[in-house]
Amino acid sequence: MNRFTVIKQACSKTLYACCLLIASNNSYAHFQEIIPDRDFLNSDRQQPLNFAVRFTHPMTQGPVMDMLKPKALSVLSNGTHTDLLPSLKAAGNAQIQQWSFAYQVTEPGDLLFFVEPQPYWEESEAKMIIHYAKVIVDGYGDFNGWDQNLDLPVEIEPLTRPYSLWAGNAFRGIVKVQGKAVPFAEVEVEWRNDGSVTAPTDSYITQVIKADANGTFSYVMPRAGWWGFAALIDADYQLKAPTGKMVPVELGGLIWINAKEMQ
């Protein structure tokens, strides 16, 4: 008996459609996006990188959640951290807030962009969500610095260079909490759907990997586009929800990887 059969038996006919919708929405994973318009720079005459920052369900193309102004936004390159919060601009609309920013690269070197959002209240799961997300851009083929850690509470350290990958390549990483590998950590994976793929069932929307005893995982990206990898853990503290109650906190360490078709 599947979960939708159980729901149907538990709900009246009048409420069945509503229950089904809630159950379906809860099966979709949340992903904090920080997506550049390209993942490499090969000319010093290129225009600034442009980024979209939003909190959503990438494989289902939404819904997009209302996102408060991030707590932190920065880039690490050549050993220097630069605060990018002043460059952040509001996007979306009054009901669903999103964000964008631009960054002009001035010298060679891999660029590690990072965003820390404000805690998000997920009422259906009765918890607060904080996803620390990063994306690495190849700065003029310098190939230096892509494997650096940002010392985030939870983070995925890439073992595969996280750019210039073909569709069909495997991405490997280590899940770390406070700098230490997490044995058997769970990693959720979603493709940032461009509308060309429809999942045959809900179970295809979010792929799930379990890391090994050393916190290491691997995933073969079968299609070109942006792929989000989210390592999720339960925080050892609680936060106050809009309801006034103290609730659990989900921490996520995300990394975004772009794969291209071989042509």
Side-chain angles (χ1 to χ4, degrees):
M1 181 181 295
N2 63 39
R3 64 194 179 101
F4 293 116
T5 302
V6 174
I7 291 169
K8 189 171 183 178
Q9 292 176 350
C11 301
S12 68
K13 291 182 178 180
T14 305
L15 295 178
Y16 171 60
C18 180
C19 292
L20 182 60
L21 177 61
I22 292 172
S24 178
N25 284 343
N26 286 347
S27 69
Y28 303 158
H30 300 77
F31 278 72
Q32 175 62 59
E33 294 187 346
I34 177 169
I35 306 294
D37 56 2
R38 56 198 187 280
D39 66 342
F40 65 90
L41 297 161
N42 56 14
S43 168
D44 58 8
R45 296 183 297 275
Q46 286 193 1
Q47 296 298 313
L49 292 163
N50 293 290
F51 289 77
V53 181
R54 65 178 191 167
F55 194 44
T56 187
H57 305 290
M59 181 59 182
T60 56
Q61 298 185 287
V64 177
M65 281 70 79
D66 187 43
M67 183 181 173
L68 298 175
K69 185 176 182 179
K71 183 177 180 179
L73 178 70
S74 65
V75 60
L76 171 64
S77 184
N78 294 315
T80 300
H81 286 271
T82 302
D83 180 14
L84 301 180
L85 268 181
S87 66
L88 201 62
K89 295 182 178 180
N93 54 52
Q95 289 74 40
I96 305 297
Q97 187 67 73
Q98 304 173 53
W99 303 89
S100 67
F101 70 95
Y103 182 79
Q104 181 67 63
V105 181
T106 59
E107 61 182 0
D110 287 347
L111 300 116
L112 286 74
F113 292 91
F114 152 76
V115 63
E116 178 186 352
Q118 298 286 349
Y120 175 82
W121 167 238
E122 179 49 66
E123 185 175 9
S124 66
E125 299 179 41
K127 65 183 178 183
M128 303 295 284
I129 298 175
I130 306 173
H131 285 179
Y132 305 88
K134 66 181 180 181
V135 64
I136 293 88
V137 174
D138 165 18
Y140 305 118
D142 186 69
F143 308 137
N144 179 36
W146 56 264
D147 55 352
Q148 295 181 79
N149 286 316
L150 296 174
D151 298 324
L152 306 176
V154 55
E155 185 171 7
I156 292 176
E157 177 184 318
L159 293 177
T160 303
R161 192 177 66 185
Y163 53 74
S164 302
L165 294 171
W166 298 114
N169 282 163
F171 173 70
R172 299 178 66 242
I174 306 174
V175 178
K176 291 188 172 182
V177 171
Q178 303 297 342
K180 296 182 179 179
V182 182
F184 311 114
E186 184 172 286
V187 180
E188 294 184 342
V189 184
E190 284 200 18
W191 180 61
R192 194 170 187 253
N193 201 339
D194 58 6
S196 62
V197 173
T198 300
T201 67
D202 279 2
S203 62
Y204 284 83
I205 293 171
T206 306
Q207 305 288 295
V208 179
I209 307 167
K210 196 170 184 179
D212 65 16
N214 298 311
T216 302
F217 69 90
S218 177
Y219 182 85
V220 175
M221 298 171 290
R223 193 176 181 89
W226 285 100
W227 290 86
F229 295 81
L232 306 176
I233 67 165
D234 294 324
D236 59 1
Y237 61 88
Q238 294 187 331
L239 291 175
K240 183 178 290 187
T243 61
K245 295 182 178 180
M246 300 300 291
V247 298
V249 179
E250 173 189 284
L251 299 180
L254 280 78
I255 187 170
W256 286 93
I257 307 294
N258 189 34
K260 288 181 170 55
E261 292 290 353
M262 186 176 287
Q263 297 179 353

